Amino acid sequence: MNIQGINNFNNLNITNIGLAREENQTADFESILSRAVENAENNRDTSDIRNAAIEIESFFIYQMFQAMRRTVPEPEGLFERSNAEVIFTQMLDEEKAQVMAQSGGLGIADAVYRELTR
């Protein structure tokens, strides 16, 4: 039985996965924001703009978490971080950022919302 595919999966570069996710999110934010602005102009329904602003703040907070984690040195010794732990940490940071943004966060969503609804 050939399990080369599984071995190759273990050698994935997690950084590249994270960068690809960030590039996709940036493109998604642009489309979400443009659709929200169009809907607000047509219907005067600003809930889409509010949701887009919260997503922008969530992405900013996530980027901040990632920058903070890069400042902490990797542990040396017997126990190195596995790929699963790295992915779990990224997903946890993403969820924390979403919760923070939805509960008021840093105020970035409010500023973006005010600017877009002028």
Side-chain angles (χ1 to χ4, degrees):
M1 180 162 86
N2 184 359
I3 56 172
Q4 288 294 340
I6 294 173
N7 289 336
N8 291 338
F9 180 76
N10 289 333
N11 295 327
L12 281 177
N13 187 345
I14 299 302
T15 305
N16 291 339
I17 293 172
L19 291 175
R21 181 185 302 155
E22 291 169 14
E23 289 173 4
N24 290 338
Q25 286 177 339
T26 302
D28 291 343
F29 287 132
E30 291 174 8
S31 65
I32 289 169
L33 194 55
S34 64
R35 272 188 275 126
V37 170
E38 287 175 18
N39 288 343
E41 290 173 352
N42 295 335
N43 303 338
R44 289 292 171 211
D45 180 20
T46 59
S47 63
D48 288 341
I49 292 178
R50 171 63 69 186
N51 292 337
I54 290 171
E55 286 295 318
I56 289 169
E57 181 170 3
S58 171
F59 183 69
F60 177 79
I61 294 170
Y62 174 75
Q63 292 298 318
M64 204 169 57
F65 283 156
Q66 294 302 305
M68 288 189 294
R69 287 207 187 276
R70 283 192 296 269
T71 65
V72 177
E74 289 290 322
E76 295 180 12
L78 295 175
F79 302 107
E80 293 183 23
R81 289 180 52 168
S82 68
N83 289 342
E85 184 179 356
V86 171
I87 292 170
F88 175 79
T89 303
Q90 289 176 347
M91 292 172 67
L92 183 63
D93 287 346
E94 201 171 324
E95 187 64 27
K96 284 180 189 177
Q98 186 70 31
V99 169
M100 284 179 66
Q102 288 175 348
S103 65
L106 307 174
I108 295 171
D110 293 332
V112 169
Y113 177 78
R114 281 192 309 270
E115 191 64 31
L116 293 174
T117 56
R118 276 195 203 182

